[in-house]
Amino acid sequence: NMNTYLSQNKTPIKFTSVKVDDKLLRGNSVTSPLKIRKMKKNGITQVIDLRNSAHIESPLEKMLCKIFGIKYVNYKFSHRLNNIPNQDFFETINKSILENEGQTYMHCQYGHHRTGLAVAIYEKLHTNKSNRDIIRNMVDNGYTEIKSKGKTHKEKKYINLYEQMIDKYFK
């Protein structure tokens, strides 16, 4: 029995996430039953997975969420995109967060780029945070390429996505 195993395990589980507001937390992908259990205990009732892959982790995470009574939603956001998704994509995600009764945990694989864009747009549209704070949080929580001045192809790509988001949502 999974619950018996979990209750007998005395090793403390480090729950790493960043609180965005009372409705939303962000972090990286979740494949540990112990982390899912800890999330449930901390009031998370929904997980939004932004990955666009068929990795084994997605079905595992979906199954673990079901076991612990957490709603699992996958909004496919390709990490290979060179342009940010249209506004409808982010409106769908934000509606899911706002309509969820408890807290939502949102992630992509590492919780940096796709999650960073989605969180920044959520914060801009649904919190009273200043643009400066939103952008600082985005950079501090994964968009470090902004500080590097885009030397590599990958850095240039992320800076381009960041600039598209700024042009569309912050001007």
Side-chain angles (χ1 to χ4, degrees):
N1 182 318
M2 174 112 32
N3 289 330
T4 304
Y5 167 76
L6 294 173
S7 64
Q8 291 173 349
N9 188 334
K10 303 296 184 205
T11 307
I13 303 305
K14 187 173 183 187
F15 181 63
T16 55
S17 65
V18 176
K19 183 176 180 175
V20 176
D21 66 6
D22 290 338
K23 297 284 294 171
L24 181 63
L25 291 93
R26 64 175 288 180
N28 61 338
S29 62
V30 186
T31 56
S32 160
L34 300 173
K35 185 172 180 183
I36 295 271
R37 178 174 179 257
K38 181 87 169 179
M39 291 167 66
K40 178 73 175 183
K41 285 179 120 180
N42 285 324
I44 291 173
T45 57
Q46 174 175 251
V47 169
I48 294 178
D49 179 355
L50 297 174
R51 292 175 294 177
N52 188 40
S53 61
H55 291 297
I56 190 68
E57 291 89 355
S58 293
L60 176 60
E61 180 179 35
K62 184 177 182 179
M63 179 194 71
L64 291 171
C65 283
K66 185 175 183 174
I67 288 169
F68 288 101
I70 296 173
K71 181 181 177 186
Y72 171 88
V73 187
N74 179 229
Y75 295 112
K76 294 182 183 326
F77 185 166
S78 175
H79 67 281
R80 291 189 171 97
L81 280 183
N82 292 316
N83 296 301
I84 64 170
N86 63 32
Q87 190 168 340
D88 291 349
F89 177 78
F90 295 107
E91 286 174 3
T92 300
I93 291 170
N94 291 343
K95 183 179 180 196
S96 183
I97 295 165
L98 296 170
E99 290 179 354
N100 182 36
E101 294 291 322
Q103 293 180 317
T104 297
Y105 178 81
M106 183 163 46
H107 71 82
C108 50
Q109 186 65 31
Y110 302 110
H112 297 161
H113 299 105
R114 292 170 284 180
T115 302
L117 287 170
V119 166
I121 293 166
Y122 167 82
E123 288 180 306
K124 174 67 176 172
L125 299 175
H126 301 289
T127 71
N128 293 322
K129 294 180 182 179
S130 71
N131 288 351
R132 183 173 166 256
D133 285 344
I134 293 168
I135 299 305
R136 185 174 349 110
N137 289 339
M138 184 178 172
V139 172
D140 289 347
N141 289 300
Y143 254 89
T144 55
E145 294 83 6
I146 305 308
K147 297 175 185 177
S148 72
K149 309 286 190 258
K151 296 174 184 105
T152 69
H153 172 73
K154 200 174 202 179
E155 289 171 340
K156 289 176 186 172
K157 172 190 156 175
Y158 290 127
I159 290 170
N160 177 46
L161 289 170
Y162 167 84
E163 289 172 350
Q164 288 179 44
M165 189 234 9
I166 295 294
D167 287 343
K168 188 167 186 173
Y169 291 95
F170 287 83
K171 286 193 175 179

